Amino acid sequence: MPDDQLQLTAEPRSELGRGATGRLRRPGRVPAIVYGYRVEPTPVHVEALELYHALHTEAGTNALIRLEFNGETHLTVARDLQRHPVKGRTQHVDFLAVDKDVQISVEVPVHLTGEDDLADDNGVVNQILYTVAVLVKPLDVPNYFELSLEGLEIGDVKRVEDLSEQLPEGADFDIEPDRTVVTINAPMSEEALEALEEGAGIEAEEPELIGEEPEEEPTVEVEDEA
């Protein structure tokens, strides 16, 4: 759970549009918008490095950020991060202002433990859900859930409801409790893999030899009869 609230200062944006946002990003600023609890939607910008540090604590993108702008401070969480497709830098972010006493929906990561202590039947771990949606008050957001795989065998299944003991008091899942999080599958045999490839239309082709010309069939010359 987030013990500390991170501080971030935002400056209002007077210019909008692609050109204006490009000029902001060059000196290391990130365009953003603030909206939500007691806040009119307001375009702002924040320091890129400070935002990076705020979103790379143990709480991740669920970190509570005390965003200061226009002489006021609002409790916010980051939403809808847009990242550069190649460099991965944050291009834009929404700050959702929240009431500390009202539940919000957040995605909480699921960390698997005990993978080395599975049953000795060569089972393969298949994680279906990597995050689970939870309705919870902002100050009670868990950093992550832990799901133990110790002793699980082929055919075993772990569901969202198996995480219920880790829910903060008063919180609830914002997803069906019977949704599958992890399954333990049997390893796929070579025959089954080949059948799967054939069903997908994948055929093994002989490698083409580069630099060699294909052999031509010999021609037979037939002399004209006198």
Side-chain angles (χ1 to χ4, degrees):
M1 299 181 187
D3 297 324
D4 299 322
Q5 298 167 25
L6 303 165
Q7 190 80 24
L8 199 60
T9 301
E11 300 291 338
R13 278 193 286 155
S14 57
E15 295 181 296
L16 304 178
R18 181 176 297 179
T21 55
R23 288 190 293 273
L24 277 174
R25 294 186 184 113
R26 279 193 287 273
R29 307 291 294 184
V30 177
I33 188 168
V34 188
Y35 63 92
Y37 179 66
R38 293 183 176 177
V39 179
E40 291 293 327
T42 306
V44 297
H45 58 94
V46 296
E47 166 62 39
L49 187 58
E50 292 180 0
L51 177 64
Y52 176 86
H53 289 311
L55 299 180
H56 285 77
T57 65
E58 190 176 14
T61 56
N62 289 329
L64 288 176
I65 299 173
R66 295 182 64 84
L67 191 69
E68 182 180 348
F69 70 100
N70 289 341
E72 298 181 351
T73 301
H74 298 272
L75 190 63
T76 68
V77 290
R79 289 289 184 267
D80 297 328
L81 272 76
Q82 299 175 18
R83 301 186 187 276
H84 191 282
V86 177
K87 299 179 180 179
R89 295 181 303 201
T90 302
Q91 297 283 84
H92 188 279
V93 61
D94 292 0
F95 291 107
L96 173 64
V98 297
D99 181 351
K100 64 181 180 64
D101 296 320
V102 176
Q103 290 183 333
I104 59 174
S105 181
V106 296
E107 294 286 338
V108 179
V110 178
H111 293 177
L112 303 183
T113 64
E115 292 183 72
D116 294 334
D117 298 317
L118 289 167
D120 190 17
D121 57 1
N122 297 319
V124 178
V125 178
N126 180 29
Q127 187 168 1
I128 309 298
L129 294 179
Y130 289 85
T131 63
V132 170
V134 175
L135 286 170
V136 60
K137 291 182 180 180
L139 297 179
D140 296 333
V141 176
N143 290 334
Y144 54 84
F145 291 128
E146 283 191 352
L147 186 59
S148 176
L149 306 181
E150 184 177 353
L152 295 188
E153 303 175 345
I154 291 174
D156 285 344
V157 177
K158 286 290 187 177
R159 307 183 189 280
V160 170
E161 59 194 2
D162 294 313
L163 302 168
S164 58
E165 292 184 358
Q166 300 177 54
L167 281 173
E169 185 177 355
D172 201 359
F173 293 119
D174 197 17
I175 185 176
E176 295 82 357
D178 61 351
R179 285 280 299 275
T180 299
V181 179
V182 172
T183 61
I184 309 300
N185 300 340
M188 185 172 291
S189 65
E190 291 185 8
E191 293 79 5
L193 183 58
E194 289 175 0
L196 184 63
E197 291 176 348
E198 290 177 3
I202 303 173
E203 297 182 359
E205 298 181 356
E206 294 184 1
E208 181 181 349
L209 298 179
I210 300 175
E212 293 189 9
E213 297 292 335
E215 295 184 1
E216 297 182 357
E217 294 185 2
T219 57
V220 179
E221 294 183 0
V222 179
E223 296 183 357
D224 293 338
E225 294 183 359

